[in-house]
Amino acid sequence: MTKNIGILVGSLRKESFSKKIAETFSKLFPEEYNVTFIHLDGLDMYNQDFDDVGPVPESLTAFREKMKSIDAVLFVTPEYNRSVPAVLKNALDVGSRPYGASVWDKKPAAIVSVSPGAISGFGANHHLRQSLVFLNMPTVQQPEAYLGNVTSMLNEDGTVTNENTLQFFQAITDSFVDLIQKNS
Ligand code: FNR
């Protein structure tokens, strides 16, 4: 069955390793799936007054509308100071309001954390997971996707070609697809 997958990347950096890893993942879904990158550049920082008093900025309305068309969410994120980069946390907050109209509710999710370091973004991965519990998003448990030493995975042109690495990425994607089907 056709599904719309949204990929949210927790880095705005042009040459982001996370974006390059996300590009590789975007090609591993079944043919009938539509995969869309949801760009977070330009999304205003959430202020509760937008919803309580108004007006709601166009960037928030556009993001919320876009997310409504998405069936499942792949988060690919670096770790900032052992936690989730603000740009991604802000997207979660924006999408969770106004109260009762969350765009996240019941949507399956998968989390891939990315780091040039050895700790592999574990802190970001689990802090994000904590928010997804509250947001009621069934999330892939296994395989856990902590991608450390990411520079050794990427070729100069930003692609991933190592067969073992691609098999691991495919196993993560397959587990996500399985979760999506079970939640259909
Ligand atoms: C980092 N970096 C980092 N790395 C990590 O593994 N754990 C961490 O806690 C942090 N903290 C952190 C804070 C801030 C403010 C910055 C800018 C960076 C390093 C980070 O992994 C590195 O810059 C990556 O290249 C960021 O991911 P992208 O942009 O390449 O996807």
Side-chain angles (χ1 to χ4, degrees):
M1 199 201 298
T2 303
K3 291 285 175 188
N4 294 320
I5 308 296
I7 300 185
L8 270 70
V9 176
S11 172
L12 303 180
R13 192 168 78 87
K14 191 159 171 274
E15 292 298 325
S16 161
F17 301 133
S18 311
K19 281 185 191 167
K20 291 170 182 168
I21 293 293
E23 279 289 346
T24 299
F25 272 95
S26 72
K27 300 181 179 84
L28 302 178
F29 287 87
E31 217 176 297
E32 66 273 20
Y33 277 38
N34 301 315
V35 182
T36 309
F37 279 83
I38 312 288
H39 298 288
L40 302 179
D41 316 59
L43 181 62
D44 285 283
M45 185 60 69
Y46 187 67
N47 177 339
Q48 195 181 339
D49 286 340
F50 294 155
D51 290 317
D52 292 355
V53 186
V56 178
E58 172 54 27
S59 70
L60 271 70
T61 305
F63 176 75
R64 288 166 174 169
E65 281 306 310
K66 181 77 200 162
M67 287 311 304
K68 281 182 194 162
S69 69
I70 295 297
D71 300 309
V73 186
L74 173 64
F75 296 95
V76 183
T77 186
E79 176 177 81
Y80 277 7
N81 299 305
R82 297 283 179 261
S83 189
V84 184
V87 67
L88 193 50
K89 181 59 165 61
N90 183 51
L92 289 182
D93 296 340
V94 168
S96 71
R97 295 288 159 141
Y99 187 80
S102 169
V103 301
W104 310 111
D105 193 46
K106 298 189 180 71
K107 288 184 184 169
I111 302 171
V112 176
S113 57
V114 175
S115 174
I119 297 174
S120 316
F122 177 88
N125 193 307
H126 280 258
H127 279 183
L128 180 54
R129 211 164 271 276
Q130 178 172 323
S131 293
L132 302 197
V133 170
F134 182 68
L135 293 171
N136 199 24
M137 301 181 80
T139 303
V140 171
Q141 310 279 357
Q142 294 289 344
E144 294 172 287
Y146 313 116
L147 306 186
N149 303 311
V150 67
T151 50
S152 67
M153 287 181 194
L154 293 165
N155 300 322
E156 285 226 336
D157 62 358
T159 57
V160 177
T161 48
N162 179 278
E163 204 47 48
N164 288 337
T165 306
L166 285 173
Q167 273 177 20
F168 179 47
F169 287 13
Q170 189 65 62
I172 296 162
T173 309
D174 290 350
S175 180
F176 186 28
V177 168
D178 188 50
L179 182 75
I180 293 165
Q181 300 294 347
K182 282 181 178 142
N183 281 276
S184 287

